[in-house]
Amino acid sequence: MAFGAVCLHETLPREMRGSRPPLLPGCLLAVLAFGLITAENALSAQAGAKPTVLLLFSHDRLLPVNVRMDEGFRRAMAESGDQYDLFTEYLDAARLPTKEQQDAFAQYLLRRYGGKPRVVVAFADHAFNLLADRRDTLFRDVPLVFVAITNSVLPRAQTLPQTTGFPIALRAKQTIDAILSMCPRTHTIFAISGASQTDRLWDPLISEQQARVKDKARLVYWPKLPLAELEHRIKTLPGDSVVLLLS
């Protein structure tokens, strides 16, 4: 679940232009995965085989958050010097949401990785649930690392064996405060979210922030808008606006 803000009336300081933020999430996950595959890696080296690490993303591979997570994970593992085979798969749950489609995807994973990966890393709720629902039949006894799962899924993760990871924290207050600090002439913040069940987690958080910042700026919430309507509205925004992408 990615979010970001675009300030329409100010630019970054010169020293920050063109820079990229550190890829900490992917690095943290890679370090965690290392702890789970270290012993297996040593055994595999003796046998002449590389350990297999499978990254399973919930959505399309071109989502910016997926690209960054993949980059960070690969960079951290490359810097470690370990030998491994890294595979990535994309559930694309937004476009393939039915149980039948996900069952077919699970069968594909089982056929392709039937020899069992050393570690499976699940990004966000859909990927995690796909594996958790089939824990006894799909990669049973394989360590599972999760990232960016929501609080609604976290209790389930805490009951599964050989499972660990990092949940997501939706920080609406901190994000909006950062916007107002970086773009002090902001008159209106337009917060945009999608139509998925996960996007609905933002609804009460944004409502709370609308009341909190009303004396500093307007906070307008646009959930579930069709893409064409959203593009039309954004084209007509005044220059003292900020677009906050929540999905």
Side-chain angles (χ1 to χ4, degrees), residues 24-221:
L24 290 180
C27 296
L28 287 172
L29 284 171
V31 169
L32 184 57
F34 293 157
L36 295 172
I37 68 172
T38 299
E40 293 287 355
N41 198 3
L43 293 174
S44 296
Q46 294 176 6
K50 296 180 182 179
T52 296
V53 178
L54 174 60
L55 310 183
L56 179 58
F57 292 86
S58 290
H59 299 293
D60 183 81
R61 70 180 182 87
L62 295 180
L63 284 179
V65 66
N66 288 350
V67 173
R68 297 301 302 280
M69 282 291 187
D70 183 71
E71 288 177 353
F73 202 99
R74 291 177 184 275
R75 178 181 299 178
M77 295 194 78
E79 290 174 353
S80 76
D82 284 350
Q83 298 296 313
Y84 60 91
D85 280 327
L86 182 61
F87 293 86
T88 54
E89 299 288 352
Y90 300 87
L91 180 57
D92 203 3
R95 293 186 290 187
L96 303 172
T98 69
K99 183 180 183 302
E100 291 75 13
Q101 290 167 326
Q102 295 192 12
D103 283 343
F105 189 83
Q107 286 298 314
Y108 157 75
L109 292 178
L110 188 61
R111 290 191 180 98
R112 182 172 186 184
Y113 305 98
K116 290 189 178 180
R118 294 290 188 257
V119 177
V120 178
V121 183
F123 293 83
D125 288 6
H126 296 289
F128 175 80
N129 284 329
L130 179 93
L131 298 171
D133 289 344
R134 301 161 178 83
R135 196 67 170 130
D136 291 336
T137 57
L138 182 60
F139 308 142
R140 183 177 182 176
D141 300 325
V142 174
L144 173 59
V145 178
F146 59 81
V147 58
I149 64 172
T150 62
N151 288 334
S152 62
V153 177
L154 184 58
R156 184 184 192 190
Q158 293 170 329
T159 66
L160 293 178
Q162 294 186 272
T163 301
T164 188
F166 298 92
I168 192 172
L170 304 181
R171 303 185 185 277
K173 178 181 181 299
Q174 293 88 335
T175 302
I176 290 171
D177 286 347
I179 291 172
L180 295 176
S181 176
M182 292 187 295
C183 305
R185 296 201 300 273
T186 298
H187 180 270
T188 306
I189 300 172
F190 295 89
I192 300 170
S193 73
S196 72
Q197 183 178 357
T198 303
D199 285 306
R200 302 285 63 75
L201 296 173
W202 287 106
D203 295 353
L205 299 178
I206 296 301
S207 178
E208 177 182 309
Q209 295 308 307
Q210 285 175 320
R212 186 181 71 87
V213 303
K214 64 181 180 181
D215 294 331
K216 301 177 182 179
R218 291 178 63 222
L219 177 55
V220 177
Y221 189 34

